[in-house]
Amino acid sequence: MLITPIPCLTDNYAYIIYDSSSKITGVVDPSEAKPIISFLKREKLKLNYILNTHHHFDHIGGNIELKKIYNAKVVGFKGDKHRIPGIDIIVKDNESWNFGNSTVKIFHIPGHTLGHICFFFEKEKIVFTGDTLFSLGCGRIFEGDHKQMFDSLNKIKKLPKNTKIYCGHEYTYKNAEFCMKYDDNNIQLKKKFEKIKKLRVQNLSTIPSSLEEELNSNIFLRCDKRELKAKLNMKNQEDLEVFKKVRDLKDSF
Ligand code: ZN
Ligand code: FE
């Protein structure tokens, strides 16, 4: 499986996914059609599928135009079928769907929106997390509540540690600054921050990350850690309460 990030709008990523054995091509979360079309033209590829993690404009904006040109099939969550433009293939939580020769497991991960899903390519160990899990961050809670987002992140935490994380936005640098503010003794985080700085000064992408790196350095995945609880003066509090606190702090960061 070949994955090419396509920068869209100001800080979005759409991802072209290509299964060379079946020659099936897809795009994940096309914010806009233009950059996708130019890539496909350049590489002489068709487009079979459009995969949407959620209904926000910056993830579905290119659906209709791409569908018209390529007759691609739009894949989206059952609960969001009324607001994913052009939806053809309706998927449910825990369902498997086939992309070429790959098996894709669907997980419903509400919180950012109520119908948010992620696409986990089982054998390749690749997950597209949209606006739920970012590198060193997590999405804002727009439609769901903290508990839903917390549970959704915990689902992702259970994937294999060497899973590659492809998220919807290049927010990593700003996220790193936030993590550093509250978890500054974390050596893994410091290392990752240095790596991110080097990439961003050259305007290079920080994506993919890996689940292992995120578990070690993403503050939103570390709300069960004693060091973090101590730092926030929340030593005896539940993990969910710590998560709420961290999410609120980030909202005003
Ligand atoms: Zn969104
Ligand atoms: Fe977004």
Side-chain angles (χ1 to χ4, degrees):
M1 259 256 307
L2 272 171
I3 301 175
T4 313
I6 310 283
C8 291
L9 305 177
T10 45
D11 51 27
N12 274 85
Y13 287 123
Y15 297 101
I16 303 279
I17 52 181
Y18 176 67
D19 176 33
S20 48
S21 59
S22 62
K23 300 206 161 34
I24 295 288
T25 308
V27 62
V28 180
D29 285 352
S31 325
E32 44 180 347
K34 243 194 197 152
I36 311 300
I37 297 167
S38 7
F39 178 85
L40 293 171
K41 268 192 185 152
R42 198 169 352 117
E43 300 294 321
K44 298 191 174 59
L45 292 172
K46 294 194 177 87
L47 186 67
N48 304 98
Y49 296 109
I50 298 166
L51 285 66
N52 293 134
T53 61
H54 65 297
H55 76 286
H56 282 160
F57 180 76
D58 60 317
H59 298 257
I60 53 92
N63 276 20
I64 296 298
E65 199 178 336
L66 290 170
K67 207 180 148 158
K68 248 184 223 158
I69 301 172
Y70 297 100
N71 195 25
K73 300 284 177 242
V74 176
V75 186
F77 183 58
K78 184 170 191 265
D80 268 355
K81 61 174 194 265
H82 59 294
R83 54 183 188 176
I84 301 272
I87 193 165
D88 299 290
I89 298 168
I90 291 168
V91 291
K92 289 180 265 183
D93 187 28
N94 281 317
E95 190 175 276
S96 290
W97 173 72
N98 289 332
F99 175 85
N101 293 315
S102 303
T103 308
V104 186
K105 186 99 198 251
I106 311 295
F107 293 107
H108 181 213
I109 46 169
H112 177 67
T113 65
L114 289 176
H116 202 300
I117 54 173
C118 65
F119 297 93
F120 176 57
F121 286 65
E122 278 179 335
K123 149 174 111 244
E124 298 79 1
K125 297 199 177 63
I126 287 167
V127 68
F128 295 95
T129 56
D131 288 356
T132 298
L133 177 66
F134 294 124
S135 181
L136 300 184
C138 81
R140 277 180 190 264
I141 296 165
F142 284 128
E143 295 181 349
D145 58 26
H146 287 85
K147 169 91 170 70
Q148 282 177 323
M149 183 57 114
F150 182 70
D151 292 344
S152 295
L153 292 173
N154 281 333
K155 275 194 200 176
I156 299 173
K157 279 172 91 166
K158 289 194 191 112
L159 295 175
K161 283 212 170 72
N162 57 349
T163 299
K164 286 200 174 98
I165 313 269
Y166 288 85
C167 58
H169 291 266
E170 181 61 67
Y171 289 158
T172 317
Y173 187 88
K174 186 95 188 130
N175 287 343
E177 287 184 318
F178 176 74
C179 289
M180 286 294 289
K181 185 169 174 187
Y182 296 100
D183 199 14
D184 55 329
N185 290 324
N186 181 341
I187 294 165
Q188 309 266 23
L189 171 63
K190 281 186 194 169
K191 267 195 212 157
K192 190 161 167 82
F193 193 28
E194 289 312 309
K195 201 166 93 182
I196 289 159
K197 279 187 204 162
K198 276 185 198 140
L199 289 168
R200 293 311 291 153
V201 290
Q202 301 171 76
N203 206 23
L204 295 173
S205 171
T206 61
I207 309 303
S209 182
S210 74
L211 183 56
E212 184 164 31
E213 280 183 39
E214 294 305 315
L215 291 171
N216 288 334
S217 50
N218 184 336
I219 195 167
F220 293 97
L221 302 185
R222 298 174 55 77
C223 296
D224 54 340
K225 298 281 181 266
R226 290 178 62 181
E227 317 89 83
L228 182 64
K229 288 188 181 183
K231 178 95 185 182
L232 295 168
N233 281 323
M234 297 182 82
K235 263 187 185 164
N236 300 314
Q237 306 255 4
E238 297 289 330
D239 303 349
L240 175 61
E241 293 309 310
V242 177
F243 175 73
K244 279 185 191 166
K245 176 77 183 172
V246 176
R247 189 54 262 177
D248 288 348
L249 287 167
K250 180 66 166 58
D251 284 341
S252 52
F253 179 68

